[in-house]
Amino acid sequence: MTETASSQTSSEIELLSFRLADEEYSVDIMSVREIRGWTRATPLPHAPPHVRGVINLRGTVLPVVDLSVRLGMSPVEGDARNVIIVVQFGNQTAGLLVHAVSDILSIPREELQPPPDLAADMSHSFISALTIVEGRMIRVLDLATVLPEDTAEAA
């Protein structure tokens, strides 16, 4: 890889975009391990409301977070149209239940904008940046706040 190609690569970020109801979100594709079809999760007693349960991922117990509930919206129904995005953040691996995966986007980092400081809106604390792609507002999730340590402990 040439120096020019390397600097061009670092000036862009690749995002996996997905839908929750009518809204579009994304995560850094470097945190995505795989995308799985809907699998019914085994519920756990006393788990937080956003933890849908756990699934068996090739012999490993994986907590599944209903991302819609986590962001304060109505739960994802959980049917064949839904997917689980397996992400890894730090030492945590979790599945994010979403309505559908949309696209892989390559965005220049300078096009990412910080979210407005609206402390009264809880969902904004989960957003690290916003960008506009083809007229669509896409929110970039902050996995550090979406997947706090208690999510892993719940499983």
Side-chain angles (χ1 to χ4, degrees), residues 41 46-54 63-73 75-76 92 94-97 122 126 145-154:
H46 305 293
H50 61 273
V51 176
R52 190 74 169 244
V54 294
V64 176
V65 173
D66 186 331
L67 192 53
S68 193
V69 172
R70 182 70 175 145
L71 299 180
M73 300 184 291
V76 175
Q92 292 188 70
L96 302 176
L97 177 61
M122 188 178 117
F126 297 117
T145 57
V146 172
L147 299 175
E149 293 296 323
D150 65 340
T151 300
E153 291 171 6

Side-chain angles (χ1 to χ4, degrees), residues 19-138:
R19 300 197 73 75
L20 286 173
D22 294 330
E23 300 180 12
E24 197 162 9
Y25 292 84
S26 65
V27 292
D28 186 340
I29 202 161
M30 296 305 291
S31 64
V32 176
R33 296 295 165 246
E34 66 180 89
I35 300 169
R36 300 179 53 92
W38 162 246
T39 302
R40 185 184 178 282
T42 301
L44 297 174
H46 305 293
H50 61 273
V51 176
R52 190 74 169 244
V54 294
I55 62 172
N56 178 356
L57 181 66
R58 294 181 291 282
T60 301
V61 175
L62 180 75
V64 176
V65 173
D66 186 331
L67 192 53
S68 193
V69 172
R70 182 70 175 145
L71 299 180
M73 300 184 291
S74 299
V76 175
E77 303 81 25
D79 60 32
R81 295 172 294 174
N82 303 140
V83 295
I84 297 172
I85 302 172
V86 179
V87 296
Q88 183 164 14
F89 182 77
N91 294 329
Q92 292 188 70
T93 302
L96 302 176
L97 177 61
V98 303
H99 284 106
V101 170
S102 303
D103 207 352
I104 295 175
L105 308 168
S106 185
I107 308 287
R109 289 186 187 274
E110 63 268 12
E111 290 186 12
L112 296 175
Q113 300 177 33
D117 187 20
L118 301 172
D121 188 353
M122 188 178 117
S123 67
H124 281 88
S125 64
F126 297 117
I127 306 300
S128 64
L130 299 163
T131 189
I132 299 171
V133 176
E134 298 173 359
R136 305 177 338 244
M137 178 74 70
I138 298 177

